[in-house]
Amino acid sequence: MRPRPGLFALAAIAFLAPRPCTAQERGATALGDALEGLPVSVRVLVIGAHPDDEDTRLITWLQKGRHADVAYLSLTRGDGGQNLIGNELGEALGVIRTEELLAARRIDGAQQYFTRAYDFGFSKSAAETYTHWPHDTLLANVVTVVRAFRPQIIIAVFSGTPRDGHGHHQVSGILAREAYDAAGDASRFPSSRTSGLAPWTPLKFYRTTSYWQGAGATFHYNAGEYSPLLGRSYAEIAGESRSQHLSQGFGALQRKGFVAGSVRREDSRAPAPRDPNAERSIFDGIDTTYRRLRGEVPAAQRARVDSLAATLAPIMAHYAPLHPESLVPSLERVQRLATTIASGASGDVDASLSELRDEDSRALVMAAGIAVEATVPRDQLALGDTMPTTVTVYDRNSNRLVIDSVTLAGSAIKTSAGDAQSAKAAPRTIVHDSSAAWAFTVRGTALTAPWWLTPPRTGDLFASPVSTKTAEESASGTALAKVYLADGTVVRAPLVLRVANPARGEEERPLAVVPPISVTLDREVGYARASAPIDRELRVTLRSAYEHARDVNVRLELPQGLQADTSSRTVALAGNGVAQAVSFRVRGTLPAGRHVITAVAESDGKKFDTGYIPIRYEHIRPQIIVRPATMAIEAVDAQLPHGVSVAYVQGVGDNSAPMLAELGIPVTVLDAHALAAADLSRFTTVVIGTRAYEADPTLAAQNARLFEWVGQGGTMVVQYGQREMMEPGMMPYPISLTSPAARVTDEASPITVLAPNDPLLTTPNRITSADWRGWVQDRALYMPSVIDPHYQTVIATNDPGEPPNPGGILRAAVGRGSYIYTTLAFFRQLPAGVPGAARLFVNLLGPPITPPTAGAHAVAP
């Protein structure tokens, strides 16, 4: 890849994230923001389908502007989308988009949840979506999250109707309302179906209307409202939050001035105005202070509730930014009262006071100037190995800090004493402007990996149960230090390696437990031509997580018909995760079908056949994906065009070029700038990757030259783009797309052959019905609905109940050459090793075809 699971804690928790803080996230501004929200107690759950569906302006206005506790529930992790910043797709893209969403939540302050739904790609209807996601199963997931977060208000991003377009959007809108109705129903959903969580009845249900210019809205708000404390409007903060979705190209402006937002009330159980349009706030009819808990606690606790509310009400007025330590006694009193009242509580009392203790502890840590660092000497720990760890607590602003205990905890580590939770150090006192350190030895007990990927998913649902923790808690649980203060506050910090990057300054790299010897092959799937000689270099990448170098022997387990140039190779492998490549020359032939190659490493008598792939981008925390050291080789019965030579301009999330090379096609990968200087006479064919014109707008400037080259006898194959393909000069003859654009989402959709003897379907490979089997996720995307008659069409395809669309493959004569435009989803099929897609794509690369003198097929539905 290119560089590029208890519901609430028993004590209040302040989590120190590894992301560097801006000035507004620490010091007086951050403390003021935290204090301003302490007296407010109300929870709002926003529900959408994908990571980038969240209404960031609404979330930020509620969280930062009205100090509600907001969470966003995304049904999926966005696995089925495309990737504008790298070549990760599928589950790997889901890991990136999960982290992008968590980065957004760290900016707008909200919490994050997911269901078990895997994003299987675009869907045209709720009915189709439910064939992938069983309705009752997914509804139980949403009800589980509602019972975990216990919101007074639920807001659906989508309408739950065909107006939403995407079937996933429709389902999210439908399930949001169904969960609002069902979450309090113990008969329909007993606690045994929702992770043991008790029923919860939300009070109000809304849908956003901002996406439809406020049509039907019953409440309007100004997301552009300025916060003097934060120095920005909520729309500006939302713009920054939105811009974390870089893999989807959603960098957004941070708009100043009035920014309209709106919602529509659909149901209310609260004693609010019966007329939704009479509401002055979405909180009408809901007591958003802690005094509402008086009716839910025993009589003996009511005086404490009154005392809690009385302590919280004036706390912001007493805030002195230059002397925040003066608030420590009040914050400690809040902590004690909340802990006492919450003892044995459930329902709203438990949820509200758990959140209060969490928020109060963060404020207390900032007011007292407490900092915690948990450092390790390396950012990788071999599974089963040990490593020293130091936890340092700094008292930078309190007169006297009493530390009750320090522990290390996490899903992937244990201390040398055994159970991580039992490894407590003795109480210590730290005086002002000093620090104290605790030393531990940790052992790696489980591999660090995205928790939802283990065990492997079944169909389009992840196998792991829906998490009742927030996604941030789940993601950060690999290796943590927990510092317990005497007042019950808990401060958490991830175990990190601190690095001084000469180009970027300080970096914090979270500790990961990895295979002792990581073994990976370049790709999970590859191609070969069946019964044709294979002679290729196969590279094995090794990494050692041990501290010191060691000898490693590596070998390949090959299918019958292949042999390596040597049975094994031994290398001196450096430690500390430094990657080292070992190459084998593999020769032979394979019959048609799928075959598996496995790489195995041995060191000190132990075998290793798994590895990890790092995912590193500057805007998200580093992640790793663990996978077996195997590579499936799809041997395809394919012939190649004579003398073909390809220049390939890669597009978005485009892994197709190396797959073509493995079929024996000479491929030179160029970017737009290299293409401008390239001698095109060296090539018979130029291939433009998926959405390449969108990814690099300078590419369009090369079209005149490319069309001239085609006119001299070249073949140009352009894979689908979006609406930019309708711009003048983008294609030799125009096409038009509807809005939304036509697409065929059923990967097994029927194919109508319009020109059975067309060379694109016969030469050098005759395409049959078998070649259309086994396709994945999509058949075609952004298909034109109006096609200029200069284009010849050869196939048509359609989803059930729709007319055939002939826009899958278009070919036009340009001088003596051929221009081919295809909307078929080759960018998914080729990396997946689909044999029929390879045979068809090879045909597209062939020499120019003399167009027929009559019978060209053009459709304008």
Side-chain angles (χ1 to χ4, degrees):
M1 296 182 182
R2 292 185 298 202
R4 299 269 194 222
L7 174 56
F8 293 97
L10 296 179
I13 293 173
F15 177 69
L16 304 183
R19 183 178 68 93
C21 295
T22 66
Q24 292 174 335
E25 294 173 304
R26 57 189 172 191
T29 297
L31 178 55
D33 185 38
L35 294 173
E36 199 171 49
L38 282 182
V40 182
S41 175
V42 63
R43 295 176 297 281
V44 181
L45 179 64
V46 180
I47 302 178
H50 306 108
D52 52 18
D53 290 340
E54 92 273 58
D55 187 334
T56 50
R57 293 173 183 168
L58 174 63
I59 289 172
T60 307
W61 180 79
L62 286 169
Q63 180 75 39
K64 295 289 189 180
R66 297 304 174 264
H67 299 290
D69 296 319
V70 183
Y72 175 54
L73 168 59
S74 176
L75 297 188
T76 77
R77 298 173 184 271
D79 327 76
Q82 295 190 34
N83 185 358
L84 273 69
I85 60 174
N87 55 16
E88 300 89 349
L89 294 174
E91 291 178 350
L93 178 58
V95 172
I96 292 173
R97 297 189 67 183
T98 295
E99 277 298 312
E100 289 180 334
L101 203 45
L102 295 181
R105 296 293 81 83
R106 288 192 287 271
I107 290 168
D108 57 40
Q111 301 179 59
Q112 183 63 50
Y113 291 91
F114 296 93
T115 73
R116 295 168 50 215
Y118 174 77
D119 181 353
F120 57 86
F122 189 85
S123 171
K124 293 182 176 179
S125 69
E128 179 191 5
T129 300
Y130 285 136
T131 66
H132 295 263
W133 303 338
H135 171 272
D136 202 45
T137 299
L138 205 59
L139 176 56
N141 283 188
V142 179
V143 169
T144 299
V145 172
V146 171
R147 291 180 177 182
F149 186 60
R150 291 171 277 192
Q152 283 84 9
I153 299 172
I154 292 178
I155 305 177
V157 173
F158 295 105
S159 69
T161 69
R163 181 178 69 169
D164 299 328
H166 201 317
H168 298 182
H169 296 168
Q170 297 177 46
V171 165
S172 73
I174 294 168
L175 293 179
R177 178 56 194 263
E178 291 181 344
Y180 169 82
D181 293 333
D185 188 342
S187 298
R188 183 174 182 187
F189 288 100
S191 59
S192 59
R193 291 195 61 194
T194 59
S195 301
L197 297 171
W200 174 261
T201 302
L203 298 178
K204 303 174 80 171
F205 183 85
Y206 292 83
R207 297 189 189 274
T208 60
T209 55
S210 300
Y211 294 155
W212 292 279
Q213 292 74 51
T218 60
F219 177 75
H220 299 264
Y221 61 93
N222 175 20
E225 178 185 343
Y226 177 73
S227 169
L229 181 62
L230 301 176
R232 291 194 291 174
S233 73
Y234 306 118
E236 289 179 272
I237 298 170
E240 182 184 356
S241 174
R242 184 70 170 167
S243 295
Q244 302 311 300
H245 298 285
L246 296 183
S247 69
Q248 305 306 295
F250 282 157
L253 292 174
Q254 298 182 28
R255 293 181 54 190
K256 297 177 176 64
F258 181 87
V259 178
S262 58
V263 294
R264 175 174 58 86
R265 198 184 84 187
E266 191 170 291
D267 191 71
S268 176
R269 301 181 177 106
R274 300 186 66 178
D275 180 4
N277 293 286
E279 285 192 334
R280 301 182 63 184
S281 165
I282 67 170
F283 305 119
D284 281 0
I286 300 174
D287 185 349
T288 62
T289 74
Y290 289 92
R291 294 189 185 278
R292 76 167 184 276
L293 303 183
R294 292 186 89 256
E296 301 182 39
V297 300
Q301 294 279 33
R302 290 171 186 166
R304 292 189 178 94
V305 172
D306 293 339
S307 181
L308 176 63
T311 303
L312 289 169
I315 204 162
M316 186 62 180
H318 295 164
Y319 176 40
L322 297 181
H323 296 283
E325 70 279 3
S326 64
L327 284 177
V328 168
S330 295
L331 295 171
E332 290 178 335
R333 176 173 172 77
V334 169
Q335 197 71 214
R336 290 192 299 269
L337 286 167
T339 300
T340 302
I341 300 167
S343 178
S346 60
D348 188 24
V349 177
D350 176 45
S352 300
L353 294 181
S354 293
E355 189 65 31
L356 174 61
R357 291 162 68 196
D358 188 0
E359 294 171 355
D360 180 76
S361 70
R362 285 195 292 266
L364 196 153
V365 166
M366 288 187 283
I370 301 170
V372 178
E373 292 179 345
T375 58
V376 291
R378 308 188 306 276
D379 61 348
Q380 295 181 348
L381 173 60
L383 181 66
D385 202 5
T386 61
M387 176 185 290
T389 301
T390 302
V391 181
T392 306
V393 181
Y394 298 86
D395 180 356
R396 300 190 289 180
N397 203 43
S398 73
N399 293 324
R400 183 172 175 269
L401 181 62
V402 180
I403 308 299
D404 182 60
S405 61
V406 175
T407 71
L408 297 185
S411 60
I413 63 164
K414 289 185 178 180
T415 64
S416 56
D419 188 337
Q421 296 289 350
S422 68
K424 294 190 176 184
R428 295 171 71 172
T429 299
I430 309 173
V431 298
H432 176 68
D433 207 19
S434 63
S435 63
W438 289 257
F440 296 86
T441 298
V442 297
R443 180 180 299 275
T445 57
L447 294 174
T448 299
W451 65 269
W452 66 91
L453 296 181
T454 305
R457 63 183 167 90
T458 302
D460 292 322
L461 290 177
F462 291 108
S464 295
V466 62
S467 178
T468 57
K469 294 181 178 180
T470 67
E472 184 70 60
E473 290 176 304
S474 299
S476 62
T478 293
L480 294 170
K482 292 184 177 182
V483 178
Y484 294 79
L485 307 186
D487 64 3
T489 299
V490 183
V491 186
R492 303 191 307 177
L495 273 60
V496 299
L497 170 68
R498 299 180 66 193
V499 177
N501 185 321
R504 299 185 62 215
E506 180 172 336
E507 291 182 348
E508 293 185 348
R509 301 175 183 172
L511 176 65
V513 179
V514 299
I517 303 295
S518 168
V519 188
T520 57
L521 292 159
D522 279 351
R523 287 188 305 283
E524 294 181 273
V525 180
Y527 274 134
R529 285 198 296 137
S531 304
I534 297 171
D535 186 349
R536 68 177 60 168
E537 185 179 89
L538 200 153
R539 186 175 63 180
V540 180
T541 299
L542 302 174
R543 293 181 176 90
S544 171
Y546 293 115
E547 188 172 4
H548 303 292
R550 58 173 58 205
D551 288 341
V552 177
N553 180 272
V554 60
R555 71 177 191 274
L556 296 179
E557 295 180 351
L558 298 169
Q560 185 175 357
L562 294 183
Q563 288 187 333
D565 58 347
T566 182
S567 60
S568 65
R569 282 192 163 84
T570 299
V571 298
L573 185 61
N576 298 320
V578 177
Q580 184 169 336
V582 179
S583 295
F584 292 84
R585 190 79 175 266
V586 176
R587 297 181 176 91
T589 61
L590 290 172
R594 183 156 291 205
H595 313 268
V596 177
I597 295 174
T598 301
V600 180
E602 293 187 30
S603 182
D604 289 345
K606 297 179 180 180
K607 293 183 179 180
F608 307 94
D609 57 4
T610 61
Y612 65 91
I613 303 298
I615 298 177
R616 298 186 183 275
Y617 293 95
E618 291 186 2
H619 68 301
I620 60 173
R621 297 174 297 193
Q623 302 293 308
I624 63 172
I625 294 180
V626 178
R627 74 184 194 192
T630 60
M631 180 178 183
I633 300 294
E634 185 69 42
V636 183
D637 184 6
Q639 303 301 313
L640 304 183
H642 178 71
V644 67
S645 178
V646 173
Y648 197 109
V649 181
Q650 289 183 306
V652 171
D654 191 348
N655 302 314
S656 297
M659 305 300 289
L660 297 176
E662 289 184 337
L663 289 168
I665 298 170
V667 177
T668 300
V669 176
L670 303 172
D671 60 20
H673 301 287
L675 180 67
D679 178 5
L680 297 182
S681 66
R682 298 168 43 209
F683 306 106
T684 64
T685 310
V686 173
V687 177
I688 307 297
T690 297
R691 297 172 64 184
Y693 289 106
E694 175 188 0
D696 188 348
T698 66
L699 177 60
Q702 305 299 318
N703 272 0
R705 178 172 178 252
L706 287 170
F707 294 163
E708 181 181 358
W709 170 82
V710 173
Q712 296 171 0
T715 297
M716 184 175 178
V717 180
V718 179
Q719 299 177 70
Y720 94 92
Q722 297 188 351
R723 306 194 70 80
E724 71 277 4
M725 302 309 295
M726 297 192 298
E727 296 175 6
M730 196 64 76
M731 297 174 65
Y733 304 103
I735 61 171
S736 292
L737 283 71
T738 57
S739 183
R743 61 200 299 165
V744 177
T745 61
D746 182 359
E747 62 271 24
S749 65
I751 300 295
T752 300
V753 177
L754 304 176
N757 296 317
D758 190 287
L760 292 181
L761 301 181
T762 62
T763 307
N765 304 292
R766 179 166 289 279
I767 304 304
T768 71
S769 60
D771 292 303
W772 300 104
R773 299 178 192 145
W775 286 47
V776 298
Q777 187 162 326
D778 296 297
R779 185 72 93 186
L781 305 89
Y782 288 84
M783 304 175 76
S785 294
V786 179
I787 302 170
D788 187 281
H790 284 88
Y791 290 107
Q792 170 77 14
T793 61
V794 296
I795 63 163
T797 186
N798 58 278
D799 279 324
E802 297 181 358
N805 186 317
I809 302 175
L810 311 181
R811 183 186 67 245
V814 177
R816 294 185 288 110
S818 289
Y819 176 93
I820 299 169
Y821 183 69
T822 178
T823 61
L824 296 177
F826 287 112
F827 78 103
R828 295 199 188 277
Q829 314 313 319
L830 298 183
V834 177
R839 285 164 44 85
L840 177 58
F841 199 88
V842 165
N843 284 9
L844 304 187
L845 302 176
I849 298 167
T850 302
T853 58
H857 188 91
V859 173

